[in-house]
């Protein structure tokens, strides 16, 4: 074969390798042959947990988000601290805040039985549990992509620096999302996850006592449960209907009733692009439901470990011993 042909061939095969490695080759049917009962098992357990306590659905959605924003969707958020590794659980955005670990543990041990072995990754469990929570609370289904593997380490520092803070302004939120390859639309749509769940007094205190961008009646009603000091852990819902996936969150923003600064930043009444998107989703629930699913897929595609990368953890809290 001529030298130039060989060169072209080797360039082509390198190109193929590069493309192959860089594509997040997750697939919807990853577990169909490996363990056909995996997804129905997760769904049954999530439905039971949500029926028992609706908030757990919110907590499971947030867990997937906090996993994916820290070195990709690799189950790192689930790792407990060890003598040699401080994980992500005590990072500022997570400490005394993220929850749902017991549900994930229970799903994992059930899957190890049902699948007759350790084949479903913790990162995939988080992605499916988030989806099933959204559906259980009235959102639309979307095609969850699967085949992620689990990280063998976690990073406190990465959790502290990569998860957006509730006092971020719009440009900080946009650049944080951009650093994860997510767009302004992803920011507005994914923030719609705050249609579910709660935040603590310590998080929204400054907003209700110090800010002018909040509806005064709303601030007063929050002040009655969240004193100027103390009661840090008292909860308030992120929208009027914390157990249903709807567009009340966006309607609240238009009424200056966003609970977090970062929520109200998306709608400032100045006719900006994010204002328009908030208005659009508030007027079009069906579009919110479908765009939310698409944005959750974007979230779930962040830097997964695939193929031979990482491992499938036997226990989501600890790295495999062998
Ligand atoms: C845009 C930037 C975001 C910021 C600054 C932010 C911040 C927060 C904060 C501070 C809380 C309350 C924590 C506490 O009180 O302990 C919270 C709750 C929550 N967040 Fe976000 N978040 C953001 C985006 C997202 C995204 C993208 C999702 C999911 C796709 C999400 C899902 C949730 C859920 C469901 C809750 C309620 C959790 C529960 O009740 O257990 N958030 N968020
Ligand atoms: C996490 O919360 C615990 C319990 O409130 C507290 O003792 C600890 O100092 C916190 N850790 C960090 C790193 O903030
Ligand atoms: C209001 O803002 C001031 C100045 O930043 C701050 O010292 C104070 O703690 C804030 N009040 C509340 C209740 O957060």
């Amino acid at each position: 074969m001529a030298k130039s042909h060989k060169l072209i061939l080797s360039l082509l095969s390198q190109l193929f390798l590069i493309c192959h490695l860089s594509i997040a080759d997750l697939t919807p049917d990853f577990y169909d042959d490996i363990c056909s009962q995996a997804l129905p098992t997760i769904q049954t357990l999530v439905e039971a947990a949500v029926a028992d306590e609706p908030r757990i659905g919110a907590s499971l959605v947030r867990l997937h988000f906090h996993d994916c924003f820290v070195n990709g969707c690799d189950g790192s958020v689930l790792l407990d601290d060890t003598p040699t590794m401080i994980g992500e659980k005590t990072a500022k955005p997570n400490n005394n805040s993220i929850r749902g670990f017991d549900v994930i543990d229970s799903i994992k041990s059930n899957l190890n039985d049902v699948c007759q072995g350790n084949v479903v990754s913790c990162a995939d469990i988080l992605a499916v549990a988030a989806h099933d929570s959204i559906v259980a609370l009235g959102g639309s289904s979307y095609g969850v992509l699967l085949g992620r593997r689990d990280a063998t380490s976690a990073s406190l520092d990465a959790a502290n620096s990569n998860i957006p803070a509730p006092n971020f302004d719009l440009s900080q939120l946009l650049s944080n999302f951009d650093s994860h390859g997510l767009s302004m639309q992803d920011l507005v749509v994914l923030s719609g996850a705050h249609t579910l769940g709660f935040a603590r007094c310590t998080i929204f205190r400054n907003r209700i006592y110090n800010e002018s961008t909040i509806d005064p009646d709303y601030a007063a009603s929050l002040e009655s449960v969240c004193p100027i000091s103390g009661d840090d852990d008292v909860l308030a819902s992120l929208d009027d209907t914390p157990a249903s996936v709807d567009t009340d969150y966006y309607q609240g923003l238009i009424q200056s009733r966003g609970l977090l600064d970062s929520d109200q930043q998306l709608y400032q009444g100045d006719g900006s692009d994010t204002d328009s998107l908030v208005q659009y989703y508030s007027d079009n629930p069906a579009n919110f439901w479908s765009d939310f699913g698409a944005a959750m897929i974007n979230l779930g595609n962040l830097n997964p470990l695939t193929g031979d990368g990482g491992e499938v953890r036997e226990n989501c809290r600890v790295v495999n011993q062998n």
Side-chain angles (χ1 to χ4, degrees):
M1 198 187 308
K3 244 187 186 163
S4 62
H5 280 164
K6 271 192 182 163
L7 187 68
I8 288 169
L9 262 182
S10 107
L11 281 175
L12 275 177
S13 67
Q14 281 181 33
L15 194 69
F16 177 78
L17 249 179
I18 291 165
C19 293
H20 192 70
L21 287 175
S22 63
I23 289 170
D25 38 6
L26 303 177
T27 57
D29 54 0
F30 188 82
Y31 293 106
D32 288 8
D33 293 336
I34 299 171
C35 177
S36 63
Q37 283 310 297
L39 303 191
T41 301
I42 301 174
Q43 186 180 11
T44 302
L45 293 169
V46 168
E47 280 171 357
V50 169
D52 192 44
E53 188 215 2
R55 186 187 176 196
I56 205 69
S59 307
L60 292 171
V61 172
R62 187 165 184 238
L63 218 41
H64 180 48
F65 165 50
H66 283 208
D67 183 32
C68 293
F69 262 46
V70 183
N71 295 325
C73 312
D74 60 0
S76 56
V77 71
L78 302 172
L79 287 173
D80 283 340
D81 292 353
T82 72
T84 54
M85 185 200 74
I86 311 280
E88 294 162 21
K89 291 182 175 178
T90 54
K92 191 155 184 256
N94 292 338
N95 200 26
N96 303 312
S97 184
I98 47 171
R99 53 201 296 280
F101 299 111
D102 295 346
V103 177
I104 299 298
D105 288 343
S106 150
I107 291 172
K108 178 67 191 181
S109 72
N110 271 275
L111 288 174
N112 287 350
D113 285 347
V114 168
C115 302
Q116 295 174 341
N118 171 33
V119 292
V120 183
S121 70
C122 299
D124 277 347
I125 293 173
L126 288 175
V128 176
H131 165 272
D132 294 348
S133 296
I134 288 162
V135 172
L137 294 168
S140 299
S141 183
Y142 52 91
V144 187
L145 298 177
L146 300 164
R148 298 172 191 79
R149 290 166 63 87
D150 299 323
T152 52
S153 65
S155 169
L156 177 78
D157 290 345
N160 275 321
S161 55
N162 287 307
I163 298 170
N167 62 354
F168 273 13
D169 66 19
L170 181 59
S171 75
Q172 290 172 305
L173 292 167
L174 285 167
S175 74
N176 174 279
F177 270 60
D178 184 62
S179 74
H180 295 285
L182 295 173
S183 68
M184 176 178 73
Q185 171 155 347
D186 290 318
L187 169 66
V188 174
V189 176
L190 287 171
S191 294
H194 290 177
T195 183
L196 297 176
F198 298 82
R200 290 168 299 153
C201 169
T202 184
I203 299 283
F204 58 81
R205 178 178 282 128
N206 181 65
R207 171 153 170 76
I208 64 177
Y209 286 101
N210 267 343
E211 294 206 334
S212 57
T213 58
I214 186 168
D215 170 63
D217 291 338
Y218 179 56
S221 76
L222 291 165
E223 285 168 13
S224 72
V225 296
C226 175
I228 206 152
S229 70
D231 282 350
D232 282 1
D233 294 334
V234 166
L235 298 174
S237 63
L238 286 155
D239 81 350
D240 285 344
T241 52
S244 65
V245 178
D246 55 28
T247 52
D248 288 3
Y249 168 76
Y250 296 108
Q251 276 135 32
L253 298 186
I254 293 169
Q255 298 158 9
S256 301
R257 292 165 70 97
L259 184 61
L260 310 181
D261 272 315
S262 52
D263 293 323
Q264 200 58 58
Q265 284 293 310
L266 304 177
Y267 189 91
Q268 302 182 38
D270 58 3
S272 65
D273 291 344
T274 59
D275 276 19
S276 306
L277 282 168
V278 169
Q279 186 74 56
Y280 172 76
Y281 289 117
S282 132
D283 293 341
N284 295 284
N287 297 48
F288 170 61
W289 281 320
S290 61
D291 289 358
F292 186 57
M296 287 298 290
I297 293 172
N298 293 342
L299 175 65
N301 278 337
L302 296 183
N303 262 347
L305 291 163
T306 56
D308 296 330
E311 63 182 18
V312 174
R313 251 178 251 148
E314 172 85 28
N315 171 342
C316 293
R317 292 173 182 268
V318 296
V319 171
N320 293 344
Q321 292 310 300
N322 43 51

